[in-house]
Amino acid sequence: MSSGGADAHTEIEAKFDVGMDTPVPELTGAKSIVSASAPELTHPVSTYFDTPDLDLARRRITVRRRTGSSDAGWHIKMPVSSDERLELRSPLSAGGNTARVPAEVADRVTAHVRGKPLVPVASIETRRIVTVVATKRHQTAAELCDDTVTARNLLDDTTVRWREWEVELLDGDRRTLEKVSTYLLSHGADPGSSPSKLARALGSRLADLRTGDATPDGTAGSTLLAALATDVSALLAADPRVRENDDDAVHAMRVATRRLRSVLRSYRDLLDRPSVDTVRGELSWLADILGTARDAEVLAARYDASLSALPSDAVRGPVVETLVGTQRRLYTLAHEEIVRELSGERYFALLDALDALLAAPTVGPSDGRADKVFRKVLRGQYRTIARAEAHAAALTGDERAEALHDVRKNAKKLRYAAEAAAGALSDGAVRTTAADVAKAAKKVQSVLGDVQDSAVSRATILTEAASAAERGEDTFTFGVLYANEGHDSADALEPLPRAWTKLRRRAASLD
Protein backbone atom coordinates (compact mmCIF):
# COMPACT_ATOMS: atom_id res chain seq x y z
CA MET A 1 0.00 0.00 0.00
CA SER A 2 1.15 3.52 -0.68
CA SER A 3 1.78 6.28 1.77
CA GLY A 4 0.38 9.06 -0.37
CA GLY A 5 1.98 11.27 -3.01
CA ALA A 6 1.80 14.75 -1.53
CA ASP A 7 4.14 16.39 0.95
CA ALA A 8 2.54 17.30 4.27
CA HIS A 9 3.52 19.50 7.16
CA THR A 10 1.82 21.24 10.04
CA GLU A 11 1.56 25.02 9.83
CA ILE A 12 1.47 26.97 13.08
CA GLU A 13 1.22 30.73 12.69
CA ALA A 14 -0.10 33.99 14.08
CA LYS A 15 -1.57 36.80 11.99
CA PHE A 16 -1.53 40.56 12.63
CA ASP A 17 -3.22 43.56 11.05
CA VAL A 18 -0.93 46.51 10.36
CA GLY A 19 -1.19 49.81 8.58
CA MET A 20 0.32 50.34 5.16
CA ASP A 21 3.08 52.50 6.64
CA THR A 22 3.77 50.61 9.89
CA PRO A 23 7.52 49.90 10.06
CA VAL A 24 8.74 46.38 10.82
CA PRO A 25 10.60 46.59 14.14
CA GLU A 26 14.10 45.23 14.68
CA LEU A 27 13.25 41.61 15.38
CA THR A 28 16.27 40.95 17.57
CA GLY A 29 14.50 43.11 20.13
CA ALA A 30 12.06 40.26 20.79
CA LYS A 31 12.88 37.99 23.73
CA SER A 32 14.93 34.88 22.84
CA ILE A 33 15.60 36.10 19.26
CA VAL A 34 19.37 36.26 18.73
CA SER A 35 19.56 37.12 15.02
CA ALA A 36 17.48 37.89 11.95
CA SER A 37 18.23 37.24 8.30
CA ALA A 38 18.34 39.87 5.58
CA PRO A 39 14.80 40.48 4.26
CA GLU A 40 13.97 38.57 1.07
CA LEU A 41 11.34 39.78 -1.43
CA THR A 42 8.98 37.36 -3.21
CA HIS A 43 5.75 37.80 -5.19
CA PRO A 44 3.48 34.78 -4.72
CA VAL A 45 0.32 34.69 -6.82
CA SER A 46 -2.44 32.29 -5.75
CA THR A 47 -5.71 31.18 -7.28
CA TYR A 48 -8.14 29.75 -4.73
CA PHE A 49 -10.73 27.12 -5.62
CA ASP A 50 -13.98 26.17 -3.92
CA THR A 51 -17.52 25.13 -4.74
CA PRO A 52 -19.93 27.91 -5.76
CA ASP A 53 -21.46 27.48 -2.28
CA LEU A 54 -18.04 27.83 -0.59
CA ASP A 55 -18.28 24.45 1.11
CA LEU A 56 -14.53 24.35 1.70
CA ALA A 57 -14.09 27.88 3.01
CA ARG A 58 -16.87 27.57 5.56
CA ARG A 59 -15.04 24.53 6.93
CA ARG A 60 -11.76 26.52 7.00
CA ILE A 61 -10.28 24.41 4.19
CA THR A 62 -8.42 26.04 1.32
CA VAL A 63 -7.30 24.74 -2.07
CA ARG A 64 -4.98 26.96 -4.04
CA ARG A 65 -2.56 27.02 -6.95
CA ARG A 66 0.51 29.15 -6.16
CA THR A 67 3.28 30.48 -8.38
CA GLY A 68 6.04 33.05 -7.89
CA SER A 69 7.62 31.68 -4.70
CA SER A 70 9.75 28.81 -3.45
CA ASP A 71 6.66 26.89 -2.37
CA ALA A 72 5.01 27.02 -5.80
CA GLY A 73 2.52 24.23 -6.32
CA TRP A 74 -0.92 23.04 -5.30
CA HIS A 75 -1.71 23.51 -1.61
CA ILE A 76 -4.51 22.19 0.56
CA LYS A 77 -4.84 23.52 4.11
CA MET A 78 -7.06 21.86 6.69
CA PRO A 79 -7.67 23.09 10.25
CA VAL A 80 -6.18 21.25 13.21
CA SER A 81 -6.81 23.94 15.85
CA SER A 82 -7.40 27.68 15.96
CA ASP A 83 -3.78 28.48 14.98
CA GLU A 84 -2.66 25.18 13.47
CA ARG A 85 -3.34 23.75 10.04
CA LEU A 86 -2.23 20.69 8.10
CA GLU A 87 -0.84 21.68 4.73
CA LEU A 88 -0.65 19.18 1.87
CA ARG A 89 1.41 20.10 -1.17
CA SER A 90 1.53 18.72 -4.69
CA PRO A 91 3.79 20.03 -7.47
CA LEU A 92 2.50 22.11 -10.36
CA SER A 93 3.37 19.14 -12.54
CA ALA A 94 0.33 17.40 -11.04
CA GLY A 95 -1.62 19.21 -13.76
CA GLY A 96 -4.51 21.62 -13.74
CA ASN A 97 -4.32 25.37 -14.25
CA THR A 98 -5.90 28.56 -12.95
CA ALA A 99 -9.31 27.28 -14.11
CA ARG A 100 -9.12 23.59 -13.14
CA VAL A 101 -7.93 21.55 -10.15
CA PRO A 102 -6.02 18.35 -10.97
CA ALA A 103 -7.63 15.06 -9.96
CA GLU A 104 -5.00 14.13 -7.37
CA VAL A 105 -5.69 17.38 -5.52
CA ALA A 106 -9.47 17.31 -5.94
CA ASP A 107 -9.63 13.76 -4.57
CA ARG A 108 -8.37 15.00 -1.21
CA VAL A 109 -11.43 17.17 -0.68
CA THR A 110 -14.09 15.01 -2.34
CA ALA A 111 -15.74 14.26 1.01
CA HIS A 112 -16.24 18.00 1.55
CA VAL A 113 -17.39 19.07 -1.95
CA ARG A 114 -19.52 15.92 -2.55
CA GLY A 115 -19.80 16.05 -6.30
CA LYS A 116 -19.97 19.82 -6.70
CA PRO A 117 -17.53 21.47 -9.14
CA LEU A 118 -14.45 23.29 -7.90
CA VAL A 119 -14.23 26.74 -9.45
CA PRO A 120 -11.87 29.72 -8.99
CA VAL A 121 -13.28 31.95 -6.25
CA ALA A 122 -10.40 34.33 -5.52
CA SER A 123 -7.09 35.51 -6.91
CA ILE A 124 -4.57 36.87 -4.42
CA GLU A 125 -1.29 38.60 -5.25
CA THR A 126 1.13 39.28 -2.41
CA ARG A 127 4.23 41.41 -2.15
CA ARG A 128 5.97 39.42 0.57
CA ILE A 129 9.10 40.34 2.48
CA VAL A 130 10.40 37.38 4.48
CA THR A 131 12.72 37.59 7.49
CA VAL A 132 13.90 34.44 9.27
CA VAL A 133 14.72 34.71 12.97
CA ALA A 134 16.99 32.51 15.07
CA THR A 135 17.10 31.56 18.74
CA LYS A 136 19.97 29.99 20.64
CA ARG A 137 18.48 26.55 19.97
CA HIS A 138 17.17 26.99 16.43
CA GLN A 139 18.87 28.72 13.52
CA THR A 140 15.56 28.89 11.64
CA ALA A 141 13.10 29.26 14.51
CA ALA A 142 10.39 31.21 12.70
CA GLU A 143 9.78 33.57 9.82
CA LEU A 144 8.03 36.90 9.63
CA CYS A 145 6.17 37.55 6.41
CA ASP A 146 5.42 41.23 5.80
CA ASP A 147 2.60 40.95 3.24
CA THR A 148 1.02 43.64 1.13
CA VAL A 149 -2.00 41.90 -0.37
CA THR A 150 -4.21 42.58 -3.37
CA ALA A 151 -7.15 40.19 -3.41
CA ARG A 152 -9.86 39.83 -6.02
CA ASN A 153 -13.13 38.13 -5.14
CA LEU A 154 -13.94 36.33 -8.41
CA LEU A 155 -17.51 35.57 -7.35
CA ASP A 156 -18.48 39.21 -6.80
CA ASP A 157 -15.78 40.84 -8.95
CA THR A 158 -14.54 43.03 -6.10
CA THR A 159 -10.98 43.88 -5.09
CA VAL A 160 -9.57 44.68 -1.65
CA ARG A 161 -6.06 45.62 -0.57
CA TRP A 162 -4.44 45.43 2.86
CA ARG A 163 -1.21 44.75 4.70
CA GLU A 164 -0.63 42.08 7.33
CA TRP A 165 2.16 40.30 9.17
CA GLU A 166 2.34 36.54 9.56
CA VAL A 167 4.68 34.78 11.97
CA GLU A 168 5.04 31.10 11.14
CA LEU A 169 7.01 28.59 13.19
CA LEU A 170 9.75 26.74 11.36
CA ASP A 171 11.96 24.80 13.80
CA GLY A 172 11.04 26.79 16.90
CA ASP A 173 8.40 26.05 19.53
CA ARG A 174 5.25 27.85 20.59
CA ARG A 175 7.15 29.91 23.17
CA THR A 176 9.05 31.51 20.30
CA LEU A 177 5.77 32.28 18.55
CA GLU A 178 4.34 33.83 21.72
CA LYS A 179 7.39 36.01 22.35
CA VAL A 180 7.59 37.32 18.78
CA SER A 181 3.83 37.93 18.78
CA THR A 182 3.99 39.91 22.03
CA TYR A 183 6.83 41.98 20.59
CA LEU A 184 4.95 42.79 17.37
CA LEU A 185 1.80 43.73 19.30
CA SER A 186 3.86 46.26 21.23
CA HIS A 187 5.21 47.75 17.99
CA GLY A 188 2.10 48.77 16.08
CA ALA A 189 0.45 45.48 15.19
CA ASP A 190 -3.09 44.40 16.08
CA PRO A 191 -4.38 40.82 16.35
CA GLY A 192 -5.45 39.53 12.94
CA SER A 193 -9.10 40.28 12.22
CA SER A 194 -9.48 37.43 9.72
CA PRO A 195 -8.35 33.79 9.91
CA SER A 196 -6.99 33.76 6.35
CA LYS A 197 -6.38 35.87 3.28
CA LEU A 198 -9.14 33.99 1.49
CA ALA A 199 -11.66 34.75 4.23
CA ARG A 200 -10.79 38.44 4.00
CA ALA A 201 -11.06 38.38 0.22
CA LEU A 202 -14.50 36.75 0.29
CA GLY A 203 -15.73 39.08 3.03
CA SER A 204 -19.38 39.02 3.99
CA ARG A 205 -20.20 36.29 1.48
CA LEU A 206 -18.24 33.85 3.66
CA ALA A 207 -19.17 35.34 7.03
CA ASP A 208 -22.81 34.35 6.51
CA LEU A 209 -21.87 30.75 5.73
CA ARG A 210 -19.22 29.91 8.32
CA THR A 211 -19.85 26.55 10.01
CA GLY A 212 -19.35 26.97 13.74
CA ASP A 213 -17.62 24.38 15.90
CA ALA A 214 -19.76 22.51 18.40
CA THR A 215 -19.10 24.07 21.80
CA PRO A 216 -20.34 22.17 24.87
CA ASP A 217 -22.19 24.31 27.42
CA GLY A 218 -22.43 21.64 30.11
CA THR A 219 -25.68 20.15 28.89
CA ALA A 220 -25.91 16.58 27.64
CA GLY A 221 -27.10 17.64 24.19
CA SER A 222 -24.26 20.04 23.41
CA THR A 223 -21.71 17.62 24.84
CA LEU A 224 -22.99 14.82 22.63
CA LEU A 225 -22.86 17.03 19.53
CA ALA A 226 -19.25 17.95 20.34
CA ALA A 227 -18.35 14.27 20.66
CA LEU A 228 -20.09 13.43 17.40
CA ALA A 229 -18.38 16.32 15.62
CA THR A 230 -15.01 14.90 16.63
CA ASP A 231 -15.91 11.52 15.18
CA VAL A 232 -17.25 13.04 11.96
CA SER A 233 -13.97 14.93 11.61
CA ALA A 234 -12.07 11.66 12.04
CA LEU A 235 -14.16 10.07 9.29
CA LEU A 236 -13.53 12.98 6.92
CA ALA A 237 -9.80 13.01 7.75
CA ALA A 238 -9.52 9.33 6.84
CA ASP A 239 -11.33 9.76 3.52
CA PRO A 240 -8.45 11.06 1.34
CA ARG A 241 -6.04 8.59 2.94
CA VAL A 242 -8.31 5.71 2.01
CA ARG A 243 -8.53 6.94 -1.57
CA GLU A 244 -4.72 6.98 -1.78
CA ASN A 245 -4.49 3.57 -0.10
CA ASP A 246 -2.33 4.83 2.75
CA ASP A 247 -1.22 2.32 5.34
CA ASP A 248 -3.91 1.60 7.95
CA ALA A 249 -6.28 4.16 6.38
CA VAL A 250 -9.12 1.69 5.83
CA HIS A 251 -8.85 0.64 9.47
CA ALA A 252 -8.96 4.28 10.64
CA MET A 253 -12.06 5.01 8.57
CA ARG A 254 -13.76 1.81 9.67
CA VAL A 255 -13.15 2.62 13.33
CA ALA A 256 -14.51 6.16 12.88
CA THR A 257 -17.58 4.76 11.15
CA ARG A 258 -18.22 2.12 13.79
CA ARG A 259 -17.63 4.59 16.59
CA LEU A 260 -20.17 7.01 15.15
CA ARG A 261 -22.74 4.26 14.75
CA SER A 262 -22.18 3.01 18.29
CA VAL A 263 -22.24 6.44 19.95
CA LEU A 264 -25.43 7.34 18.10
CA ARG A 265 -27.04 4.20 19.47
CA SER A 266 -25.80 4.69 23.03
CA TYR A 267 -27.03 8.29 23.23
CA ARG A 268 -29.98 8.03 20.83
CA ASP A 269 -32.43 9.39 23.41
CA LEU A 270 -30.79 12.82 23.01
CA LEU A 271 -31.49 13.01 19.27
CA ASP A 272 -34.38 12.58 16.86
CA ARG A 273 -34.80 8.80 16.79
CA PRO A 274 -35.90 8.36 13.13
CA SER A 275 -32.96 10.47 11.93
CA VAL A 276 -30.55 8.53 14.13
CA ASP A 277 -31.86 5.19 12.89
CA THR A 278 -31.50 6.26 9.26
CA VAL A 279 -27.94 7.50 9.74
CA ARG A 280 -26.96 4.40 11.71
CA GLY A 281 -28.25 2.21 8.89
CA GLU A 282 -26.11 4.05 6.36
CA LEU A 283 -23.07 3.93 8.66
CA SER A 284 -23.57 0.17 8.85
CA TRP A 285 -23.52 0.03 5.05
CA LEU A 286 -20.25 1.97 4.95
CA ALA A 287 -18.69 -0.13 7.73
CA ASP A 288 -19.54 -3.33 5.84
CA ILE A 289 -17.81 -2.07 2.69
CA LEU A 290 -14.73 -1.06 4.66
CA GLY A 291 -14.87 -4.31 6.61
CA THR A 292 -14.40 -6.51 3.55
CA ALA A 293 -11.09 -4.81 2.76
CA ARG A 294 -9.98 -4.62 6.38
CA ASP A 295 -10.66 -8.30 7.06
CA ALA A 296 -8.63 -9.28 4.00
CA GLU A 297 -5.84 -6.93 5.07
CA VAL A 298 -5.72 -8.48 8.56
CA LEU A 299 -5.75 -12.06 7.28
CA ALA A 300 -3.01 -11.38 4.71
CA ALA A 301 -0.76 -9.92 7.41
CA ARG A 302 -1.62 -12.76 9.82
CA TYR A 303 -0.84 -15.51 7.32
CA ASP A 304 2.31 -13.79 6.14
CA ALA A 305 3.63 -13.61 9.73
CA SER A 306 2.58 -17.19 10.55
CA LEU A 307 4.18 -18.67 7.43
CA SER A 308 7.37 -16.64 7.91
CA ALA A 309 7.71 -18.08 11.41
CA LEU A 310 7.67 -21.70 10.15
CA PRO A 311 10.82 -23.61 9.16
CA SER A 312 11.31 -23.49 5.42
CA ASP A 313 10.79 -27.26 5.06
CA ALA A 314 7.39 -26.95 6.75
CA VAL A 315 6.07 -24.61 4.04
CA ARG A 316 4.99 -26.98 1.27
CA GLY A 317 3.28 -26.31 -2.00
CA PRO A 318 1.83 -22.96 -3.12
CA VAL A 319 0.40 -22.24 0.34
CA VAL A 320 1.86 -18.72 0.51
CA GLU A 321 0.16 -17.75 -2.73
CA THR A 322 -3.05 -19.50 -1.69
CA LEU A 323 -3.37 -17.80 1.69
CA VAL A 324 -1.42 -14.53 1.52
CA GLY A 325 -1.81 -13.88 -2.20
CA THR A 326 -5.55 -14.57 -2.19
CA GLN A 327 -6.19 -12.19 0.71
CA ARG A 328 -4.10 -9.46 -0.89
CA ARG A 329 -6.07 -9.80 -4.13
CA LEU A 330 -9.30 -9.67 -2.16
CA TYR A 331 -8.07 -6.51 -0.47
CA THR A 332 -7.27 -4.89 -3.81
CA LEU A 333 -10.71 -5.68 -5.21
CA ALA A 334 -12.41 -4.51 -2.02
CA HIS A 335 -10.40 -1.29 -1.97
CA GLU A 336 -11.41 -0.55 -5.55
CA GLU A 337 -15.05 -0.93 -4.51
CA ILE A 338 -14.50 1.40 -1.55
CA VAL A 339 -13.08 4.11 -3.79
CA ARG A 340 -16.03 3.78 -6.17
CA GLU A 341 -18.51 4.09 -3.31
CA LEU A 342 -16.69 7.04 -1.77
CA SER A 343 -17.37 8.97 -4.97
CA GLY A 344 -21.02 7.98 -5.11
CA GLU A 345 -24.24 9.72 -4.20
CA ARG A 346 -25.07 7.36 -1.34
CA TYR A 347 -21.86 8.24 0.50
CA PHE A 348 -22.35 11.95 -0.13
CA ALA A 349 -25.91 11.68 1.19
CA LEU A 350 -24.58 10.02 4.35
CA LEU A 351 -22.15 12.88 4.92
CA ASP A 352 -24.96 15.39 4.36
CA ALA A 353 -27.09 13.51 6.89
CA LEU A 354 -24.29 13.64 9.46
CA ASP A 355 -23.98 17.38 8.92
CA ALA A 356 -27.74 17.75 9.39
CA LEU A 357 -27.65 15.68 12.56
CA LEU A 358 -24.94 17.91 14.03
CA ALA A 359 -27.00 21.00 13.20
CA ALA A 360 -30.34 19.63 14.47
CA PRO A 361 -31.70 20.43 17.94
CA THR A 362 -31.24 17.80 20.60
CA VAL A 363 -34.25 16.33 22.43
CA GLY A 364 -35.32 14.36 25.50
CA PRO A 365 -32.97 14.70 28.48
CA SER A 366 -30.51 16.78 26.45
CA ASP A 367 -31.01 19.83 28.70
CA GLY A 368 -29.84 17.83 31.70
CA ARG A 369 -26.34 17.99 33.12
CA ALA A 370 -23.96 16.17 30.82
CA ASP A 371 -22.11 14.35 33.59
CA LYS A 372 -25.32 12.87 35.04
CA VAL A 373 -26.83 11.85 31.70
CA PHE A 374 -23.59 10.36 30.35
CA ARG A 375 -22.91 8.52 33.61
CA LYS A 376 -26.40 6.96 33.45
CA VAL A 377 -25.80 5.78 29.88
CA LEU A 378 -22.45 4.23 30.83
CA ARG A 379 -24.00 2.43 33.80
CA GLY A 380 -26.61 0.93 31.50
CA GLN A 381 -23.96 -0.12 28.98
CA TYR A 382 -21.93 -1.80 31.70
CA ARG A 383 -24.92 -3.73 33.04
CA THR A 384 -25.51 -5.10 29.55
CA ILE A 385 -21.97 -6.37 29.20
CA ALA A 386 -22.02 -7.76 32.74
CA ARG A 387 -25.09 -9.85 31.90
CA ALA A 388 -23.42 -11.06 28.71
CA GLU A 389 -20.25 -12.02 30.60
CA ALA A 390 -22.22 -13.93 33.26
CA HIS A 391 -24.10 -15.80 30.52
CA ALA A 392 -20.85 -16.73 28.73
CA ALA A 393 -19.22 -17.92 31.97
CA ALA A 394 -21.95 -20.53 32.42
CA LEU A 395 -21.39 -22.08 28.97
CA THR A 396 -18.79 -24.31 27.34
CA GLY A 397 -17.60 -25.19 23.85
CA ASP A 398 -19.10 -23.54 20.80
CA GLU A 399 -21.91 -21.99 22.86
CA ARG A 400 -19.39 -20.20 25.04
CA ALA A 401 -17.44 -19.03 21.99
CA GLU A 402 -20.60 -17.51 20.53
CA ALA A 403 -21.49 -15.89 23.86
CA LEU A 404 -17.98 -14.42 24.17
CA HIS A 405 -18.49 -12.86 20.75
CA ASP A 406 -21.51 -11.02 22.23
CA VAL A 407 -19.35 -9.92 25.17
CA ARG A 408 -16.82 -8.47 22.73
CA LYS A 409 -19.48 -6.51 20.85
CA ASN A 410 -20.88 -5.11 24.09
CA ALA A 411 -17.39 -4.22 25.31
CA LYS A 412 -16.89 -2.27 22.11
CA LYS A 413 -20.15 -0.35 22.64
CA LEU A 414 -19.16 0.51 26.21
CA ARG A 415 -15.70 1.55 25.10
CA TYR A 416 -16.98 3.93 22.42
CA ALA A 417 -19.65 5.41 24.71
CA ALA A 418 -17.05 5.96 27.44
CA GLU A 419 -14.50 7.44 25.02
CA ALA A 420 -17.13 9.91 23.81
CA ALA A 421 -17.79 10.92 27.42
CA ALA A 422 -14.09 11.18 28.28
CA GLY A 423 -13.41 13.36 25.25
CA ALA A 424 -16.28 15.79 25.65
CA LEU A 425 -17.25 16.09 29.33
CA SER A 426 -16.04 19.05 31.35
CA ASP A 427 -16.48 17.47 34.79
CA GLY A 428 -13.01 16.25 35.72
CA ALA A 429 -14.04 13.35 37.97
CA VAL A 430 -16.58 11.88 35.57
CA ARG A 431 -14.25 12.42 32.64
CA THR A 432 -11.49 10.50 34.42
CA THR A 433 -13.85 7.67 35.35
CA ALA A 434 -15.09 7.46 31.76
CA ALA A 435 -11.52 7.33 30.45
CA ASP A 436 -10.66 4.52 32.88
CA VAL A 437 -13.76 2.56 31.89
CA ALA A 438 -12.99 3.07 28.19
CA LYS A 439 -9.45 1.79 28.65
CA ALA A 440 -10.62 -1.30 30.56
CA ALA A 441 -13.40 -2.04 28.06
CA LYS A 442 -10.92 -1.71 25.20
CA LYS A 443 -8.71 -4.35 26.83
CA VAL A 444 -11.62 -6.80 27.08
CA GLN A 445 -12.54 -6.06 23.48
CA SER A 446 -8.94 -6.54 22.37
CA VAL A 447 -8.55 -9.90 24.12
CA LEU A 448 -11.78 -11.24 22.64
CA GLY A 449 -10.94 -9.67 19.28
CA ASP A 450 -7.79 -11.77 19.12
CA VAL A 451 -9.91 -14.86 19.77
CA GLN A 452 -12.35 -13.85 17.04
CA ASP A 453 -9.53 -13.18 14.56
CA SER A 454 -8.18 -16.65 15.25
CA ALA A 455 -11.60 -18.22 14.68
CA VAL A 456 -11.99 -16.43 11.32
CA SER A 457 -8.45 -17.44 10.37
CA ARG A 458 -9.10 -21.11 11.17
CA ALA A 459 -12.30 -21.14 9.14
CA THR A 460 -10.49 -19.63 6.15
CA ILE A 461 -7.64 -22.13 6.47
CA LEU A 462 -10.12 -25.03 6.38
CA THR A 463 -11.83 -23.63 3.29
CA GLU A 464 -8.56 -23.06 1.43
CA ALA A 465 -7.18 -26.45 2.51
CA ALA A 466 -10.24 -28.21 1.09
CA SER A 467 -9.78 -26.40 -2.22
CA ALA A 468 -6.07 -27.24 -2.25
CA ALA A 469 -6.85 -30.91 -1.64
CA GLU A 470 -9.24 -30.94 -4.60
CA ARG A 471 -6.41 -29.56 -6.75
CA GLY A 472 -4.14 -32.33 -5.52
CA GLU A 473 -1.80 -30.02 -3.61
CA ASP A 474 0.09 -30.81 -0.42
CA THR A 475 -2.04 -29.67 2.55
CA PHE A 476 0.48 -30.36 5.31
CA THR A 477 1.18 -26.66 5.97
CA PHE A 478 -2.52 -25.89 6.25
CA GLY A 479 -2.73 -28.41 9.08
CA VAL A 480 0.26 -26.89 10.86
CA LEU A 481 -1.23 -23.42 10.63
CA TYR A 482 -4.63 -24.64 11.82
CA ALA A 483 -3.07 -26.31 14.86
CA ASN A 484 -1.02 -23.21 15.66
CA GLU A 485 -4.13 -21.05 15.44
CA GLY A 486 -5.85 -23.32 17.93
CA HIS A 487 -3.01 -22.86 20.41
CA ASP A 488 -2.98 -19.11 19.79
CA SER A 489 -6.72 -18.89 20.45
CA ALA A 490 -6.35 -20.66 23.79
CA ASP A 491 -3.44 -18.42 24.74
CA ALA A 492 -5.39 -15.33 23.73
CA LEU A 493 -8.08 -16.10 26.31
CA GLU A 494 -5.68 -16.25 29.25
CA PRO A 495 -5.73 -12.46 29.97
CA LEU A 496 -9.55 -12.32 29.93
CA PRO A 497 -10.24 -12.92 33.67
CA ARG A 498 -7.81 -10.20 34.68
CA ALA A 499 -9.14 -7.81 32.02
CA TRP A 500 -12.72 -8.45 33.12
CA THR A 501 -11.85 -7.90 36.80
CA LYS A 502 -10.27 -4.54 35.97
CA LEU A 503 -13.32 -3.47 33.97
CA ARG A 504 -15.65 -4.45 36.81
CA ARG A 505 -13.62 -2.40 39.28
CA ARG A 506 -13.45 0.63 37.00
CA ALA A 507 -17.18 0.48 36.28
CA ALA A 508 -17.95 0.46 40.01
CA SER A 509 -17.02 4.16 40.03
CA LEU A 510 -20.04 4.86 37.80
CA ASP A 511 -22.45 4.15 40.68
Side-chain angles (χ1 to χ4, degrees):
M1 286 172 285
S2 73
S3 57
D7 294 329
H9 78 279
T10 300
E11 175 188 82
I12 302 175
E13 66 180 15
K15 286 179 169 290
F16 305 91
D17 292 342
V18 292
M20 286 295 185
D21 299 322
T22 303
V24 176
E26 176 55 55
L27 296 176
T28 53
K31 290 183 178 179
S32 80
I33 301 302
V34 297
S35 65
S37 70
E40 180 180 348
L41 177 64
T42 63
H43 289 87
V45 178
S46 301
T47 302
Y48 288 78
F49 293 81
D50 206 332
T51 68
D53 297 324
L54 301 178
D55 292 283
L56 296 180
R58 60 192 175 91
R59 293 182 173 92
R60 295 169 54 209
I61 298 172
T62 58
V63 174
R64 73 185 180 199
R65 181 181 188 273
R66 169 169 283 182
T67 59
S69 62
S70 60
D71 64 344
W74 288 94
H75 303 170
I76 298 175
K77 293 187 179 183
M78 297 184 173
V80 177
S81 63
S82 59
D83 65 348
E84 188 174 349
R85 292 193 290 179
L86 177 66
E87 183 173 339
L88 307 171
R89 296 180 180 178
S90 298
L92 291 174
S93 59
N97 49 44
T98 56
R100 181 177 62 83
V101 179
E104 79 168 50
V105 176
D107 281 350
R108 291 179 172 271
V109 294
T110 297
H112 300 284
V113 303
R114 303 170 194 175
K116 297 179 183 178
L118 287 171
V119 299
V121 297
S123 176
I124 298 180
E125 299 183 23
T126 304
R127 181 182 183 275
R128 167 166 289 180
I129 301 175
V130 181
T131 304
V132 178
V133 297
T135 63
K136 289 182 179 180
R137 295 182 59 190
H138 301 287
Q139 188 63 32
T140 56
E143 67 178 13
L144 170 67
C145 298
D146 178 11
D147 292 346
T148 302
V149 185
T150 302
R152 183 183 173 199
N153 178 337
L154 300 177
L155 299 176
D156 299 327
D157 195 22
T158 58
T159 300
V160 292
R161 190 167 184 266
W162 72 90
R163 183 167 171 240
E164 66 182 30
W165 292 342
E166 290 181 357
V167 180
E168 181 177 349
L169 284 181
L170 299 177
D171 299 326
D173 54 28
R174 286 186 177 273
R175 288 176 297 178
T176 300
L177 182 64
E178 292 169 1
K179 290 175 181 178
V180 174
S181 296
T182 299
Y183 182 69
L184 295 178
L185 289 171
S186 68
H187 284 76
D190 293 314
S193 57
S194 182
S196 68
K197 290 180 174 64
L198 177 62
R200 193 158 180 170
L202 295 176
S204 59
R205 176 184 280 262
L206 177 60
D208 295 337
L209 296 174
R210 180 73 73 186
T211 300
D213 296 328
T215 304
D217 60 6
T219 63
S222 66
T223 302
L224 173 61
L225 292 179
L228 291 173
T230 297
D231 289 336
V232 171
S233 294
L235 174 63
L236 294 173
D239 177 288
R241 296 181 55 237
V242 170
R243 295 174 190 275
E244 294 187 0
N245 208 12
D246 283 359
D247 291 340
D248 213 36
V250 170
H251 177 55
M253 192 174 198
R254 188 190 191 191
V255 168
T257 303
R258 284 180 160 183
R259 185 192 304 274
L260 270 167
R261 185 171 183 270
S262 184
V263 171
L264 283 171
R265 183 187 184 281
S266 297
Y267 299 98
R268 60 190 181 277
D269 288 345
L270 304 179
L271 298 165
D272 176 65
R273 183 70 68 88
S275 298
V276 167
D277 290 344
T278 298
V279 171
R280 289 188 70 248
E282 291 303 279
L283 286 170
S284 180
W285 160 76
L286 179 58
D288 287 345
I289 294 172
L290 295 165
T292 301
R294 176 58 180 170
D295 291 346
E297 183 179 36
V298 169
L299 283 176
R302 190 180 189 94
Y303 293 144
D304 187 43
S306 298
L307 288 165
S308 297
L310 294 179
S312 58
D313 59 356
V315 181
R316 302 179 185 177
V319 64
V320 175
E321 173 60 23
T322 299
L323 289 178
V324 180
T326 297
Q327 295 303 320
R328 286 177 176 168
R329 287 191 294 274
L330 288 174
Y331 174 85
T332 298
L333 292 172
H335 181 263
E336 290 173 353
E337 181 186 4
I338 291 171
V339 173
R340 286 194 298 271
E341 293 294 347
L342 293 188
S343 297
E345 292 300 324
R346 185 172 183 178
Y347 175 61
F348 296 157
L350 168 59
L351 298 181
D352 287 342
L354 287 170
D355 285 347
L357 203 61
L358 294 178
T362 52
V363 299
S366 62
D367 290 337
R369 282 175 44 189
D371 57 332
K372 295 183 64 175
V373 173
F374 275 58
R375 187 194 290 267
K376 180 180 179 181
V377 168
L378 296 183
R379 282 199 301 267
Q381 294 275 21
Y382 173 72
R383 292 191 188 105
T384 299
I385 187 177
R387 288 193 295 270
E389 192 277 336
H391 175 66
L395 302 174
T396 59
D398 291 343
E399 289 184 337
R400 182 168 186 262
E402 185 175 344
L404 285 176
H405 185 53
D406 289 337
V407 174
R408 182 181 70 86
K409 291 189 291 185
N410 283 302
K412 186 189 301 182
K413 293 174 184 176
L414 175 59
R415 169 197 167 187
Y416 290 155
E419 285 178 344
L425 287 173
S426 58
D427 184 287
V430 180
R431 186 173 66 243
T432 299
T433 296
D436 289 342
V437 169
K439 185 177 180 180
K442 182 179 179 180
K443 180 60 178 178
V444 172
Q445 174 197 341
S446 178
V447 169
L448 294 176
D450 291 340
V451 175
Q452 175 67 12
D453 287 346
S454 181
V456 172
S457 176
R458 292 198 306 275
T460 303
I461 289 172
L462 287 178
T463 300
E464 294 293 351
S467 297
E470 290 179 359
R471 296 191 297 269
E473 297 171 2
D474 190 331
T475 59
F476 170 81
T477 306
F478 291 98
V480 173
L481 292 177
Y482 187 87
N484 288 346
E485 283 286 8
H487 294 309
D488 290 343
S489 179
D491 292 342
L493 270 177
E494 288 185 3
L496 182 59
R498 184 177 179 181
W500 176 253
T501 297
K502 181 172 286 189
L503 174 57
R504 185 173 63 246
R505 290 173 178 170
R506 294 286 187 265
S509 299
L510 295 171
D511 294 328

